[in-house]
Amino acid sequence: MRSMPYIVNRYLLWGVTALCFLGMGVLSFLGYEMGPNAPTNITKIHPVSYVLLASAILNIFRIKNREAIFSGYRNNKPELLVLAVVIAIFIYLYLTGNLSSVSFIVDTLLCLVLLALNFRYYPETLKQGARKLCVRLILLNSYLAIGERLFSVNLFPIDSYFGDIFRSTALLGHPLNNALITLAVFLYVVSVAIPVWRKVYIMTVLFTALICFGARGSLYVSVLALLLLFIIPVFASRKLYFRKINKAHIMLLIGAMAGLLGYLTLNTTLGERLVEASFYDSSSEVRTQAFDVVNLDNIGDFLVAKSQNEIDTISYYAEVEIIENFFIVWVLKFGIIVTVLLLLVIYRLFCLRIPFSSRLKRYLVAGLLFLAAA
């Protein structure tokens, strides 16, 4: 029989996992307005951030002695290093008078650290259960995306413009958010040792969802991940999991999946945006224009953070209305020095904490995720 703390921790972890799948559209439907329509500064921050912060505070109060503090420091150096950089960013922005429109720091950077700190020492059975729940939720999100694209109706619409061609929003809101989170789960699924039929089925569904989101970058990175993390190891790896896979059968399955996805893209409405936009369109232009904001001829001007007025002025003269590349946003908000430091500590955290035994696989997965995010 499970103990009460085990049950509480299990439901807390499941609850946090489920909250991560509530995008702006779903939260708006539930009466929690985020983004530009947020009635107060409180709702500009995602609910999961509050849950994680409360959990972290409770964990601090559970510390009983000095030795536990030192042990926590020794065992969580990568997480605490990211946390220190994030806190330093807040202090830096406050001292320079730029502490505005920074709720994204809480929902992305701070949440990243709190997730790692709060749940790292949970039993592996609990963490494995949360990963399975995450896969089920991304499948649900994908099914909704496919249904939305078939009927050209967003179940949970968001107040954002992303082109003239319909794109699914599903549970996670903006198509780019959907695509990046779908890719993250795809990287997990393609890397773990699960039955091949189930792996191919999940990958097919996620590929189809990426087509519905019209997310070319994440789609291309997913194809690259499939090649590097599965197809090549099937033929080259000596691990028992890959040696047991029938090479002819797997190539038949992959070929069938590729044929189905090609048909859906070229002959149905699901791939309308990918076909019409091809490799480069106005959406791609918006993202590449974001690099025009940073003048490489005067790179020294971007070593430190810019004020919001300066960012607005730079964007105006560069004729960029929306900056859709978060690396550029970080450079403008934090400066190049802090951005590079932040990227290094986050990449290091990912490489150390991604739940794969192979160091090469951890570095590769983290690199692919950063590539898609860029």
Side-chain angles (χ1 to χ4, degrees):
M1 185 175 179
R2 301 294 189 186
S3 65
M4 183 56 68
Y6 184 94
I7 295 173
V8 171
N9 289 338
R10 179 176 63 184
Y11 283 108
L12 174 61
L13 186 52
W14 285 0
V16 167
T17 303
L19 280 175
C20 289
F21 282 82
L22 301 184
M24 289 179 60
V26 178
L27 290 174
S28 177
F29 176 79
L30 297 174
Y32 191 96
E33 291 287 349
M34 292 186 67
N37 297 324
T40 67
N41 288 331
I42 294 176
T43 61
K44 288 183 178 180
I45 296 175
H46 197 282
V48 74
S49 298
Y50 293 113
V51 174
L52 289 172
L53 184 59
S55 179
I57 293 173
L58 288 175
N59 287 334
I60 291 174
F61 280 115
R62 289 176 182 174
I63 297 176
K64 297 180 180 180
N65 53 61
R66 184 180 301 177
E67 179 59 31
I69 296 177
F70 290 134
S71 176
Y73 170 74
R74 288 193 300 268
N75 297 326
N76 297 286
K77 285 184 179 180
E79 291 85 356
L80 294 175
L81 183 58
V82 177
L83 181 61
V85 174
V86 172
I87 293 174
I89 287 174
F90 272 112
I91 296 173
Y92 173 61
L93 294 178
Y94 173 77
L95 294 177
T96 56
N98 295 326
L99 201 61
S100 62
S101 303
V102 293
S103 59
F104 73 93
I105 299 178
V106 177
D107 286 339
T108 54
L109 303 179
L110 187 58
C111 266
L112 169 69
V113 180
L114 294 179
L115 274 170
L117 288 174
N118 283 334
F119 304 119
R120 185 184 170 203
Y121 296 104
Y122 274 34
E124 186 58 32
T125 53
L126 287 183
K127 292 189 285 188
Q128 189 63 28
R131 294 179 194 126
K132 291 180 179 178
L133 175 61
C134 187
V135 172
R136 294 189 183 102
L137 288 173
I138 204 65
L139 283 173
L140 173 61
N141 190 70
S142 299
Y143 296 145
L144 289 176
I146 296 168
E148 286 182 341
R149 189 62 194 88
L150 288 173
F151 296 101
S152 297
V153 175
N154 291 125
L155 292 178
F156 303 103
I158 60 174
D159 185 18
S160 181
Y161 177 76
F162 32 81
D164 297 325
I165 300 176
F166 181 90
R167 298 171 73 179
S168 300
T169 55
L171 296 175
L172 293 167
H174 197 286
L176 295 181
N177 292 343
N178 269 287
L180 191 57
I181 296 172
T182 300
L183 171 66
V185 180
F186 182 95
L187 290 171
Y188 170 74
V189 171
V190 79
S191 301
V192 296
I194 59 176
V196 172
W197 284 93
R198 177 168 173 75
K199 184 190 290 281
V200 174
Y201 170 75
I202 295 174
M203 291 191 302
T204 303
V205 174
L206 299 188
F207 267 130
T208 307
L210 289 173
I211 293 172
C212 295
F213 299 134
R216 288 157 298 184
S218 293
L219 189 60
Y220 303 150
V221 173
S222 296
V223 173
L224 181 60
L226 175 62
L227 176 65
L228 297 177
L229 296 171
F230 186 65
I231 294 179
I232 291 178
V234 164
F235 292 93
S237 177
R238 296 183 178 180
K239 291 186 176 180
L240 181 61
Y241 173 75
F242 293 110
R243 284 164 45 200
K244 291 172 63 177
I245 295 176
N246 185 295
K247 309 300 188 284
H249 288 175
I250 195 60
M251 292 313 298
L252 184 62
L253 283 174
I254 297 296
M257 179 179 69
L260 174 62
L261 294 172
Y263 176 82
L264 293 175
T265 301
L266 300 173
N267 298 289
T268 71
T269 57
L270 271 65
E272 181 181 4
R273 182 176 186 272
L274 295 180
V275 173
E276 292 192 9
S278 188
F279 285 92
Y280 193 82
D281 67 339
S282 59
S283 178
S284 302
E285 185 179 5
V286 167
R287 282 193 284 280
T288 54
Q289 278 182 337
F291 291 94
D292 295 337
V293 172
V294 179
N295 187 352
L296 297 179
D297 293 331
N298 297 306
I299 198 71
D301 294 340
F302 295 91
L303 293 178
V304 296
K306 300 288 184 182
S307 68
Q308 189 59 49
N309 288 336
E310 288 178 306
I311 294 174
D312 293 339
T313 301
I314 293 171
S315 300
Y316 173 78
Y317 283 108
E319 298 182 349
V320 176
E321 295 183 9
I322 302 174
I323 302 175
E324 291 190 347
N325 186 306
F326 77 87
F327 289 137
I328 302 299
V329 174
W330 285 9
V331 168
L332 295 174
K333 283 280 188 181
F334 311 148
I336 292 176
I337 297 174
V338 175
T339 297
V340 171
L341 175 62
L342 186 59
L343 288 173
L344 289 175
V345 295
I346 291 177
Y347 184 75
R348 179 171 180 266
L349 175 63
F350 278 13
C351 292
L352 291 174
R353 298 296 185 242
I354 290 176
F356 303 139
S357 58
S358 168
R359 177 182 296 183
L360 175 61
K361 183 179 289 187
R362 293 200 302 269
Y363 277 77
L364 183 57
V365 168
L368 289 170
L369 191 58
F370 270 60
L371 177 62

